[in-house]
Amino acid sequence: VLAALARYHGRKQMAAEQLEAFYQTGDAGSLDAAQRELRGALGVWERLVKLTDGLYPEEMAFGPDDIGHWKHKLAYVRHDVAAAAERREVLDAYGRFDYGFDFGGPPRERAGGLYRNDPFVLTNTVEPRFRGVHSASVYDEKTGYGWAGGGDRADVAMPLTPYHEVRAVARDPKQLPSNALLGDAIRGRGPQTFRVRTGGGAFEARLIEADGAREARVLEAREGVLDILMPEGEWTVHGIVIYRRPAPDAAPAPRWPKRLARPAFQHSPPKTAAAGKPLPLLLAVAPLKDAVTVRLHYRAVNQLARFKTLEAPASKASFTIPGEDLDARWDLMYYFEILNRDGGGWFEPDPDRSTPYHVVPVGAPAPQGLAEKR
């Protein structure tokens, strides 16, 4: 059980890191990684439930509000997978944008005691990567976005997920966060203006309606702000996405490196190293057609120590760690970075398959007399 819990939380931590990277950058690769880890975590939890169902009591107390069995958490673990799939749908529909606004009801200022005032508890109806907007969000210079002027508009809100469901302690949850972008909206009448401080330049703006986004409108920012007009007549809008158009004379965006096939790497880590003595290391790369340079990164297994780097051509990746960098108080850790001709590269050991570094025990050098006898 403890091993399964460790595997589960390890995968969830990696998923959380990759999801945050996706929220900050819109990078599809980060979302891919998060979805992979979440599916893996679900598999671990399902095996944990199978292992413990009928063996442990169903009313175990894990905390003041958390009473039950591991099987009662399955809904939450499955929801994480479903929520990431929703993020994928939004990414497929709108891609990477410069500004995103999710229309809906106003955020709640408080949700109970102080310990409950977590941002996600108060704003779980707002789609990640988007900023929450409601009918009274008036433009000001501090926020940089909002409605410019009055008009007939009202919130079509959706309820927040209750605190105990956010904390994953409620039995049989009914209202976990879902459909945050399209589940709420602002309904209005007439061509009202939504303003965003963008700086100068040309932009594409798309209104998100129930049947998808309207065709992008090309707009020019004036005095550093972009004014987006709502449709004539009655309208219901779920949000807005805005994309900056490149200037005619702008340099082309940097391209991602091609994903070249990983070569075979051959390396035999030494079983031990002697303090104060140089340590030779060799990495063989085959085939060599894509690999250009190999870097050796190493340091003592001491979190206060900084990595040092040696570099060699891939055709002759031979290194010697100086003796002064080997201390009997600390073992040695190291890994290789292999750069390819297209600006990408690989690590050895492969972080996707094993511990991403080698560790070599460092011992005191043998006494001179003993060395002579040997």
Side-chain angles (χ1 to χ4, degrees), residues 275-292:
K277 300 289 186 180
L279 178 66
L281 297 172
L282 179 67
L283 179 71
V285 183
L288 281 168
K289 65 183 184 69
D290 294 326
V292 176

mmCIF file of all heavy atoms in Angstrom, residues 275-292:
data_model
loop_
_atom_site.group_PDB
_atom_site.id
_atom_site.type_symbol
_atom_site.label_atom_id
_atom_site.label_comp_id
_atom_site.label_asym_id
_atom_site.label_seq_id
_atom_site.Cartn_x
_atom_site.Cartn_y
_atom_site.Cartn_z
ATOM 1 N N ALA A 275 39.337 9.585 -3.838
ATOM 2 C CA ALA A 275 39.421 11.017 -3.569
ATOM 3 C C ALA A 275 40.789 11.547 -3.980
ATOM 4 O O ALA A 275 41.820 10.917 -3.737
ATOM 5 C CB ALA A 275 39.165 11.285 -2.089
ATOM 6 N N GLY A 276 40.798 12.704 -4.636
ATOM 7 C CA GLY A 276 42.046 13.343 -5.033
ATOM 8 C C GLY A 276 42.684 12.766 -6.280
ATOM 9 O O GLY A 276 43.722 13.264 -6.724
ATOM 10 N N LYS A 277 42.100 11.723 -6.863
ATOM 11 C CA LYS A 277 42.659 11.102 -8.052
ATOM 12 C C LYS A 277 41.779 11.408 -9.261
ATOM 13 O O LYS A 277 40.551 11.338 -9.174
ATOM 14 C CB LYS A 277 42.747 9.576 -7.878
ATOM 15 C CG LYS A 277 43.608 9.124 -6.711
ATOM 16 C CD LYS A 277 45.085 9.373 -6.992
ATOM 17 C CE LYS A 277 45.945 8.770 -5.885
ATOM 18 N NZ LYS A 277 47.390 9.010 -6.139
ATOM 19 N N PRO A 278 42.362 11.719 -10.432
ATOM 20 C CA PRO A 278 41.553 11.983 -11.631
ATOM 21 C C PRO A 278 40.703 10.763 -11.979
ATOM 22 O O PRO A 278 41.114 9.612 -11.784
ATOM 23 C CB PRO A 278 42.599 12.262 -12.710
ATOM 24 C CG PRO A 278 43.836 12.639 -11.968
ATOM 25 C CD PRO A 278 43.813 11.882 -10.687
ATOM 26 N N LEU A 279 39.496 11.036 -12.504
ATOM 27 C CA LEU A 279 38.576 9.960 -12.860
ATOM 28 C C LEU A 279 38.234 10.055 -14.346
ATOM 29 O O LEU A 279 37.568 11.009 -14.771
ATOM 30 C CB LEU A 279 37.293 10.055 -12.028
ATOM 31 C CG LEU A 279 36.227 9.003 -12.332
ATOM 32 C CD1 LEU A 279 36.725 7.610 -11.940
ATOM 33 C CD2 LEU A 279 34.919 9.329 -11.612
ATOM 34 N N PRO A 280 38.692 9.099 -15.166
ATOM 35 C CA PRO A 280 38.343 9.121 -16.593
ATOM 36 C C PRO A 280 36.943 8.537 -16.828
ATOM 37 O O PRO A 280 36.542 7.572 -16.182
ATOM 38 C CB PRO A 280 39.414 8.228 -17.221
ATOM 39 C CG PRO A 280 39.802 7.282 -16.134
ATOM 40 C CD PRO A 280 39.631 8.005 -14.839
ATOM 41 N N LEU A 281 36.201 9.151 -17.757
ATOM 42 C CA LEU A 281 34.867 8.683 -18.148
ATOM 43 C C LEU A 281 34.767 8.729 -19.663
ATOM 44 O O LEU A 281 35.271 9.666 -20.301
ATOM 45 C CB LEU A 281 33.772 9.555 -17.536
ATOM 46 C CG LEU A 281 33.672 9.573 -16.001
ATOM 47 C CD1 LEU A 281 32.668 10.630 -15.560
ATOM 48 C CD2 LEU A 281 33.282 8.214 -15.461
ATOM 49 N N LEU A 282 34.087 7.757 -20.249
ATOM 50 C CA LEU A 282 33.979 7.655 -21.703
ATOM 51 C C LEU A 282 32.541 7.364 -22.085
ATOM 52 O O LEU A 282 31.883 6.523 -21.464
ATOM 53 C CB LEU A 282 34.894 6.532 -22.216
ATOM 54 C CG LEU A 282 34.883 6.274 -23.728
ATOM 55 C CD1 LEU A 282 35.477 7.464 -24.463
ATOM 56 C CD2 LEU A 282 35.652 4.993 -24.041
ATOM 57 N N LEU A 283 32.043 8.071 -23.099
ATOM 58 C CA LEU A 283 30.713 7.804 -23.655
ATOM 59 C C LEU A 283 30.870 7.532 -25.150
ATOM 60 O O LEU A 283 31.411 8.356 -25.885
ATOM 61 C CB LEU A 283 29.772 9.002 -23.451
ATOM 62 C CG LEU A 283 28.365 8.829 -24.032
ATOM 63 C CD1 LEU A 283 27.563 7.820 -23.214
ATOM 64 C CD2 LEU A 283 27.633 10.172 -24.099
ATOM 65 N N ALA A 284 30.387 6.383 -25.589
ATOM 66 C CA ALA A 284 30.412 6.038 -27.019
ATOM 67 C C ALA A 284 29.039 6.305 -27.613
ATOM 68 O O ALA A 284 28.017 5.907 -27.053
ATOM 69 C CB ALA A 284 30.795 4.574 -27.200
ATOM 70 N N VAL A 285 29.007 6.991 -28.773
ATOM 71 C CA VAL A 285 27.762 7.369 -29.446
ATOM 72 C C VAL A 285 27.730 6.696 -30.813
ATOM 73 O O VAL A 285 28.681 6.813 -31.586
ATOM 74 C CB VAL A 285 27.661 8.900 -29.613
ATOM 75 C CG1 VAL A 285 26.340 9.283 -30.252
ATOM 76 C CG2 VAL A 285 27.846 9.613 -28.272
ATOM 77 N N ALA A 286 26.614 6.031 -31.133
ATOM 78 C CA ALA A 286 26.491 5.388 -32.441
ATOM 79 C C ALA A 286 25.009 5.343 -32.842
ATOM 80 O O ALA A 286 24.159 4.992 -32.031
ATOM 81 C CB ALA A 286 27.078 3.971 -32.407
ATOM 82 N N PRO A 287 24.689 5.785 -34.078
ATOM 83 C CA PRO A 287 25.610 6.370 -35.057
ATOM 84 C C PRO A 287 25.904 7.831 -34.724
ATOM 85 O O PRO A 287 25.204 8.454 -33.940
ATOM 86 C CB PRO A 287 24.813 6.256 -36.355
ATOM 87 C CG PRO A 287 23.378 6.336 -35.923
ATOM 88 C CD PRO A 287 23.309 5.629 -34.604
ATOM 89 N N LEU A 288 26.926 8.362 -35.370
ATOM 90 C CA LEU A 288 27.380 9.724 -35.080
ATOM 91 C C LEU A 288 26.770 10.775 -35.994
ATOM 92 O O LEU A 288 27.068 11.960 -35.846
ATOM 93 C CB LEU A 288 28.907 9.796 -35.205
ATOM 94 C CG LEU A 288 29.708 9.259 -34.018
ATOM 95 C CD1 LEU A 288 31.172 9.113 -34.394
ATOM 96 C CD2 LEU A 288 29.551 10.174 -32.806
ATOM 97 N N LYS A 289 25.926 10.379 -36.951
ATOM 98 C CA LYS A 289 25.517 11.307 -38.007
ATOM 99 C C LYS A 289 24.772 12.532 -37.480
ATOM 100 O O LYS A 289 24.846 13.612 -38.076
ATOM 101 C CB LYS A 289 24.648 10.586 -39.042
ATOM 102 C CG LYS A 289 23.314 10.077 -38.540
ATOM 103 C CD LYS A 289 22.589 9.313 -39.642
ATOM 104 C CE LYS A 289 21.201 8.872 -39.211
ATOM 105 N NZ LYS A 289 20.269 9.992 -39.046
ATOM 106 N N ASP A 290 24.051 12.419 -36.349
ATOM 107 C CA ASP A 290 23.301 13.564 -35.827
ATOM 108 C C ASP A 290 23.956 14.212 -34.616
ATOM 109 O O ASP A 290 23.773 15.399 -34.361
ATOM 110 C CB ASP A 290 21.879 13.128 -35.452
ATOM 111 C CG ASP A 290 21.059 12.708 -36.665
ATOM 112 O OD1 ASP A 290 21.260 13.305 -37.735
ATOM 113 O OD2 ASP A 290 20.232 11.788 -36.543
ATOM 114 N N ALA A 291 24.714 13.435 -33.845
ATOM 115 C CA ALA A 291 25.309 13.962 -32.616
ATOM 116 C C ALA A 291 26.507 14.857 -32.946
ATOM 117 O O ALA A 291 27.305 14.552 -33.835
ATOM 118 C CB ALA A 291 25.735 12.819 -31.710
ATOM 119 N N VAL A 292 26.628 15.972 -32.222
ATOM 120 C CA VAL A 292 27.700 16.941 -32.484
ATOM 121 C C VAL A 292 28.629 17.078 -31.273
ATOM 122 O O VAL A 292 29.838 16.952 -31.392
ATOM 123 C CB VAL A 292 27.105 18.320 -32.848
ATOM 124 C CG1 VAL A 292 28.219 19.353 -33.028
ATOM 125 C CG2 VAL A 292 26.246 18.231 -34.095
#
